[in-house]
Amino acid sequence: MNTKRIALAITVALILQMGLASLSVLNGGGIDLVLVAVVALALGNGPIVGLLVGAIGGMMQDALGGGIIGIGGISKTLIGFFVGSLSVQLMVVGLAPKFLVFLGASQLNSLFFIGLYLLLGLPMPAFSFVAIAGHAIVNGVVGVVWISVIEMVQKRVLRQRERYKFRRRFGTW
Amino acid sequence: MIDIHRRTGYLLATVIVVQILLISVQVTSSSGAPLIQTVTFGLLSRAQIGLSGGLTSLRDGWTGYFALQDVSKDNVRLRQEIASLKVRVQEQGAMVRRNESLRDLLAMDRTVSLSTVAAEVIAGDVTPWFRTLTIGRGAADGIQLDAAVIAPDGVVGRVVGQPAQGAAKVQLIIDRNAAIGGMVERTGVPGILNGVEGNPQPFVDRSLPLNMKYVSNLSDVQVGDRVVTSSIEGIYPKGFLIGYIERVRQGPNLYQEIQVRPTVDFNALDHVLVVMEPPRMQEFGQPSQ
């Protein structure tokens, strides 16, 4: 995946996240599309893309969310790096393993985020472990759907290209 | 030259260090609002305004498509009128109640003129961690830090952070870090209200009650009592409705455990009013000599 596509993916995630927030649709439901994008890109492109996308996406989200810029950035950087490293070591194939990766990444992200607030001695944002688990499940489902749609589109484009090549070579009957 | 593809750890460390430096700049800043936060919020809020505008146009176009243009316009106009009338009724009710109790004791002005500016809610929470929203009015409209934000149904919150030119961030009263001075209208018992500690339901983030603290076990407080602003913090105008008492329990120590249900539906806020002037010093009392 080239740089333009990565930039496009993270931009789309941010815009959709802002759109969800401004429409009050599922507001507070815990969908974190930036996290979903970071995990999806890290799974497909490795730790370098993961950590860079995590840093940029996280900081943009911090700036929009009113928190301290960098806290969400650090947590998403670490998530991008860990998931990217995992994808280099293991082949994550199938919906259930991918769901587990999204689920774990979402929970880790929440723990990093809260941990950094604790570490810095800042006023803690409201949270509960039930809510974190709920957010992780939601992000897991959204992540799996996201990856499935992307894979479906990629397959379709590939098939179209193959047909086009075949027609050019042999013509139509 | 370091090959980052081989030395991913260096890149990770660099990115983390840069972000830690960024955080340290914000945390140790002595001024109220960190410059970096103000600048980035200013820039990104423009994108939010643009996006919100685009979405609003799309939504308006869709709803007005099936020959409902006039009905939809009338509906919007009437809703705005109702909202402004509700606020006026609340303002006058508060004024009358205050006058009744103090008329015999003090020579007070019979009129309370609140200077307000109407603002559209352009964005909700971008992260699930904070209960804030963004309004489409900012420093260019005279919005200042700590300005009170109200709605026809009651108090919404206050402006936090340095407002951008065309947008400002509002901390809702249900945020855990928010605090507001309130009193039971029937008996005048004062207390401090703030958001609940946890987030009990993952999917109904904004329908939370408030805790009312520091109300003595001996005070007369009943379920259903109205709780209004006391203006003790010098931000919110006095006498505006916050909510109704939902639960009262005698506490183990000196104070009762009270839950207040806010009257504002924070999930359905479209327009709010920003109070342009802070309450007068006289309203929350002079220090005793």
Side-chain angles (χ1 to χ4, degrees), chain A residues 15 17-19 21-24 27-32 47-48 51-52 54-55 59-74 77-78 81 109-110 113-114 116-117 120 122-128 130-132 134-135 138, chain B residues 4-6 8-9 11-12 15-16 18-20 22-23 26-27 36-37 40-41 44-45 47-48 51-52 55 59 121-132 134 169 176-177 196-206 266-269:
Chain A
I15 288 172
Q17 185 77 31
M18 285 197 288
S22 70
L23 280 174
S24 292
N27 207 346
I31 296 180
D32 191 342
I48 293 177
L51 77 92
L52 288 176
M59 284 198 287
M60 297 276 279
Q61 211 177 3
D62 284 338
L64 284 166
I68 293 182
I69 299 168
I71 291 191
I74 289 181
T77 302
L78 292 171
F81 177 74
N109 178 56
S110 302
F113 190 87
I114 293 159
L116 281 165
Y117 266 88
L120 294 168
L122 297 167
M124 289 281 292
F127 79 96
S128 77
V130 177
I132 288 173
H135 295 170
V138 171
Chain B
I4 58 165
H5 288 279
R6 287 188 182 173
T8 318
L11 184 63
L12 176 69
V15 172
I16 297 282
V18 167
Q19 289 182 96
I20 288 171
L22 198 64
I23 292 169
Q26 296 167 82
V27 174
I36 190 160
Q37 204 173 330
T40 47
F41 177 61
L44 291 171
S45 62
Q48 274 187 313
L51 184 71
S52 172
L55 285 169
R59 202 169 32 187
V121 175
I122 58 169
D125 302 330
V126 178
T127 60
W129 305 106
F130 299 97
R131 296 187 189 112
T132 60
T134 307
K169 195 171 292 296
R176 190 204 154 187
N177 299 315
V196 292
E197 300 264 325
N199 183 357
Q201 299 291 332
F203 301 107
V204 284
D205 213 22
R206 287 175 167 192
F266 295 99
N267 286 311
L269 275 178

Side-chain angles (χ1 to χ4, degrees), chain B residues 209-222:
Chain B
L210 298 164
N211 283 335
M212 188 167 181
K213 293 180 176 173
Y214 310 118
V215 176
S216 163
N217 275 332
L218 304 172
S219 298
D220 176 15
V221 178
Q222 290 171 11

Side-chain angles (χ1 to χ4, degrees), chain B residues 2 9 11 39 44 54 58 61 64 104 118-119 132 140 155 180 200 207 226 234 254 261-262 276-277:
Chain B
I2 297 165
L11 184 63
V39 171
L44 291 171
L58 205 69
D104 298 335
T132 60
V155 181
I180 176 170
S207 54
R226 281 162 62 97
L254 293 174
R261 174 69 50 189
M276 300 301 284
E277 297 164 3

